[in-house]
């Protein structure tokens, strides 16, 4: 294998893994607080279209990424009001959010179809990335590094900060956390908003970095893979990083095989590969331990109402 | 003085019925506002989508034709939802049903006989069941979340459809279009009202609604499903197996979605095309909830959601509203329904003061935890 091909593959792995990693980190924090938000796909789409619209209008891609976070958080706020305020079923509300995000993003994006924008390109000077080996380190868009930093930050926050301890307590036993005075609903709301912001940021990667354009359903179900990654990672950020990059590898193999005109399998099979891999990985990971419930946050998906 | 929520002693039956009505009305109002904010003629959009088709007898047939697959899929899914089994794979099972039936059709293109259509339908049902059986197997054997596995399979089903359309099943006489041959007369669903598009699938949907209603209310299996959803631990204590409920719910859901798939292929489409995935599998989830997971409610809800499709099309041509508007209205309806649902279990009361006493809170925590568990099960019922 030539160095050029290896570099190309490594670059694509990071590119394919980053949006999954960022969105999944947000979902991990939300789930750790006890909230199951299945609306990741919808929030990613809203983030993707917002990022693109803002980048095109202002000409500043970075501003698009920031706007995507705000839009993702706003979408998550709808979810928070319904599930935390009004105790609506979390599974159904998350599905509604995905359907809503798919429709709203198509609606907002309609005038932007067929337009391209400047990408959120590499941040380091091009001279650093000249050498193919250094390109793997310095040649990425800022979001790749942000994804790695965020992984560390979320790990540190959950494991070593007091706020992270409270968040985990709320996710493991909402009644107990409430009775010793922790604001369960506030903690969960913040976690859900963070999850939305991260999904929005992850979504922005598709319209600002991977393909600097907008098309309906641009994220193509990657939001669901992000949710599956949280299960795969057993709710641990470190394993999430590994999982996201493994999936990046699967997606890269799909792209490389297509680009190389590899026709042993039909191209449709390669397109289905990430989803098949997700199902397979979920089966393997769940078969490995007796029950997913033993590692999932105990209050995941349960509604909570303070007994005042 | 502030408004506060006070738990009801038992769920309000009146609100069970009122909540979907509130949700639809709120959607009309909020839809008009949202679409105006997005730069469209909001009130006109609502009028075109929700009112115009109702006063145009010519569009009624479209309503029934669109409502039939929605109702059939939703009835199947609702059985799972009642038992807290979240089959989100209706879309994939619908596609597989269509594909399995199409497979039979392509093998029998040169044949004639009244047996062909029933065999196609049976193949469609089995196709949907097989596709739903995969998440059921993964759930019962490996405890894989059926939400994620059934959803992933939707994307796989679409790729399978594309593969068959571009490759093995492409019509050799079709000018290189990625679609199958047209079905023969013996393979096409008969229309039941002469001169309209209303095909056999419409009365089938109505009959399935009535049958499901009867079975859920009267049979032991129906009881088992309801208990499994309301009180899983009681169901296990009563000897109802979790695994058999998963299998039952998934196979019924998949079989019904597959049935809807082959009825669409042999009815409105008359062949298999890459445009076959129409999102019915997702919309049916909204239908199931709007219909309160009740077969008769679902029949009504299917007509309401069919309205968003039929009206959405006319709004597209008349005022140039993007087709995505349909999905936005559908999602808003589900949002409002889920929000209004709180009135089923709680009543709004005016409170003069709210006193927080941590000590009381702690003492009540145990009891509240018990209640919380009961509510988790009950809320999807």
């Amino acid at each position: 294998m030539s160095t050029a091909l290896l570099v190309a593959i490594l670059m694509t792995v990071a590119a394919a893994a980053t949006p999954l990693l960022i969105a999944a980190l947000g979902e991990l924090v939300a789930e750790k607080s006890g909230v199951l938000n299945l609306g990741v796909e919808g929030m990613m789409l809203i983030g993707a279209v917002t990022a693109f619209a803002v980048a095109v209008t202002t000409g500043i891609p970075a501003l698009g990424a920031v706007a995507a976070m705000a839009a993702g958080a706003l979408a998550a706020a709808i979810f928070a009001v319904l599930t935390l305020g009004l105790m609506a079923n979390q599974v159904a509300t998350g599905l509604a959010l995905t359907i809503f995000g798919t429709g709203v993003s198509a609606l907002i994006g309609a005038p932007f179809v067929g337009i391209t924008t400047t990408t959120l390109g590499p941040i380091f000077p091009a001279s650093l990335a000249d050498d193919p080996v250094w390109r793997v380190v310095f040649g990425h868009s800022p979001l790749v590094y942000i994804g790695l930093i965020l992984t560390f930050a979320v790990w540190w926050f959950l494991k070593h900060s007091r706020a992270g301890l409270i968040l985990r307590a709320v996710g493991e036993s909402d009644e107990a956390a409430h009775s010793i005075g922790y604001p369960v609903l506030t903690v969960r709301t913040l976690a859900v908003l963070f999850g939305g912001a991260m999904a929005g940021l992850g979504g922005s990667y598709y319209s600002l970095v991977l393909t600097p354009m907008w098309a309906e359903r641009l994220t193509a179900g990657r939001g669901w893979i992000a949710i599956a990654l949280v299960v795969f990672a057993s709710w641990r950020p470190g394993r999430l990083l590994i999982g996201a990059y493994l999936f990046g590898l699967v997606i890269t193999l799909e792209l490389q095989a297509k680009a190389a005109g590899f026709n042993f399998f039909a191209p449709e099979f390669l397109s289905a590969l990430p989803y098949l891999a997700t199902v397979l990985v979920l089966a393997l990971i769940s078969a490995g331990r007796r029950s997913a419930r033993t590692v999932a946050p105990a209050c995941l998906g349960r509604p909570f109402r303070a007994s005042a | 003085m502030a408004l506060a929520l006070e738990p009801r002693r038992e769920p309000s039956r009146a609100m069970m019925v009122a909540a979907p009505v509130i949700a639809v009305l709120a959607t009309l109002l909020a839809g008009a506002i949202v679409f105006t904010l997005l730069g469209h003629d909001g009130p006109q959009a609502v009028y075109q989508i929700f009112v115009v088709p109702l006063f145009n007898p010519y569009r009624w047939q479209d309503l029934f034709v669109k409502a039939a697959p929605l109702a059939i899929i939703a009835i199947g899914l609702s059985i799972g939802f009642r038992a807290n089994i979240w089959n989100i794979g209706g879309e994939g099972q619908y596609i597989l049903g269509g594909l399995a039936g199409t497979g039979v059709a392509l093998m029998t293109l040169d044949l004639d006989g009244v047996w062909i259509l029933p065999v196609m339908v049976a193949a469609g049902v089995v196709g949907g069941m097989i596709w739903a059986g995969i998440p059921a197997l993964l759930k019962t054997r490996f405890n894989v979340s059926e939400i994620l596995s059934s959803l992933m399979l939707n994307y796989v089903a679409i790729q399978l459809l594309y593969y068959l359309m571009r490759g093995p099943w492409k019509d050799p006489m079709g000018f290189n279009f990625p679609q199958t041959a047209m079905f023969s007369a013996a393979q096409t669903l008969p229309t039941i009202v002469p001169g309209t598009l209303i095909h056999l699938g419409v009365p089938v949907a109505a009959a399935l609604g009535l049958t499901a209603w009867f079975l859920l209310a009267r049979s032991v299996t129906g009881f088992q499903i309801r208990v499994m959803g309301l009180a899983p631990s009681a169901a296990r204590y009563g000897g109802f197996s979790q695994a058999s409920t998963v299998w039952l719910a998934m196979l019924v859901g998949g079989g019904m979605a597959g049935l809807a798939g082959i009825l669409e292929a042999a009815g409105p489409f008359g062949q298999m095309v890459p445009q076959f995935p129409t999102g019915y599998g997702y919309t049916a989830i909204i239908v199931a909830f709007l219909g309160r997971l009740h077969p008769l409610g679902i029949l009504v809800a299917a007509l309401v959601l069919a309205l968003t499709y039929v009206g959405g099309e006319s709004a597209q041509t008349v005022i140039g509203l993007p087709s995505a508007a349909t999905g936005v209205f559908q999602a808003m309806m589900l949002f409002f329904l889920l929000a209004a649902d709180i009135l089923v279990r709680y009543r709004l009361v005016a409170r003069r003061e709210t006193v927080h006493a941590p000590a009381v809170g702690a003492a009540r925590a145990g009891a509240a935890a018990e209640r919380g568990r009961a509510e988790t099960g009950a809320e999807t019922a």
Side-chain angles (χ1 to χ4, degrees), chain A residues 86 89 221 224 268 286 305, chain B residues 5 142 151 155 166 346 380:
Chain A
L86 299 174
N89 181 294
W224 294 101
E268 290 84 2
S286 310
R305 184 169 158 75
Chain B
L5 291 167
F142 304 121
L151 198 119
Y155 292 94
R166 283 178 207 150
Y346 291 83
T380 49

Side-chain angles (χ1 to χ4, degrees), chain A residues 187-288:
Chain A
V187 170
R188 286 190 174 165
T189 304
L190 291 174
V192 167
L193 292 180
F194 175 77
M198 290 300 103
L201 186 64
S204 78
Y205 193 83
Y206 287 100
S207 59
L208 292 181
V209 184
L210 277 183
T211 55
M213 54 155 221
W214 166 254
E216 269 186 44
R217 295 163 195 257
L218 186 65
T219 56
R222 300 286 196 256
W224 294 101
I225 295 184
I227 298 172
L229 274 175
V230 178
V231 182
F232 167 80
S234 316
W235 292 268
R236 295 210 296 258
R239 284 186 60 160
L240 193 62
L241 182 71
I242 298 168
Y245 273 77
L246 276 178
F247 265 87
L249 189 63
V250 171
I251 295 168
T252 302
L253 290 179
E254 172 206 335
L255 297 175
Q256 290 288 342
K258 273 186 183 166
F262 181 69
N263 50 16
F264 182 69
F265 293 116
E268 290 84 2
F269 174 80
L270 294 171
S271 299
L273 199 58
Y275 310 101
L276 285 170
T278 308
V279 174
L280 194 68
V281 161
L282 282 175
L284 289 174
I285 204 80
S286 310

Side-chain angles (χ1 to χ4, degrees), chain A residues 38 41 78 82 86-89 91-93 95-97 99-100 103-104 106-108 175 179 220-221 224-225 227-228 231 266 268 271-272 275-276 278-279 282-283 286-287 291-292 302-303 305 307-308, chain B residues 5 35 38 86 88 138 142-144 147-149 151-152 155-156 159 162-163 166 282 285-286 289 322 324-325 327-328 331-332 334-335 338-339 342 345-346 356 361-362 364-365 368-369 373 376 379-380:
Chain A
L38 296 180
E41 174 80 0
I78 302 175
L82 285 170
L86 299 174
M87 284 168 290
N89 181 294
V91 174
T93 310
L95 290 171
L97 186 56
I99 298 171
F100 182 73
V104 160
L107 212 55
I108 296 173
E175 293 292 346
S179 64
W224 294 101
I225 295 184
I227 298 172
V231 182
E268 290 84 2
S271 299
Y275 310 101
L276 285 170
T278 308
V279 174
L282 282 175
S286 310
S291 165
R302 270 178 38 184
R305 184 169 158 75
S307 46
Chain B
L5 291 167
F35 280 86
L38 285 171
W86 297 91
I88 313 300
L138 293 173
F142 304 121
N143 204 21
V144 174
I147 299 175
L148 292 171
S149 59
L151 198 119
M152 293 297 150
Y155 292 94
V156 177
Q159 293 302 328
Y162 290 168
Y163 166 70
R166 283 178 207 150
Y282 298 102
I285 296 169
I286 302 178
F289 279 102
V328 176
M332 284 205 298
L334 184 48
F335 276 147
L338 292 165
I342 190 149
R345 283 173 296 127
Y346 291 83
H356 285 280
R364 280 186 184 171
R373 267 191 285 283
T376 323
E379 71 160 2
T380 49

Side-chain angles (χ1 to χ4, degrees), chain B residues 238-285:
Chain B
F240 296 142
S241 137
Q242 161 92 32
S244 74
T245 313
V246 170
W247 275 105
L248 179 79
M250 293 301 291
L251 291 185
V252 171
M256 301 273 275
L259 174 65
I262 185 54
L263 291 180
E264 283 296 290
F269 283 93
Q271 68 185 132
M272 185 51 76
V273 294
Q275 295 80 34
F276 192 67
T278 31
Y280 285 159
Y282 298 102
T283 306
I285 296 169

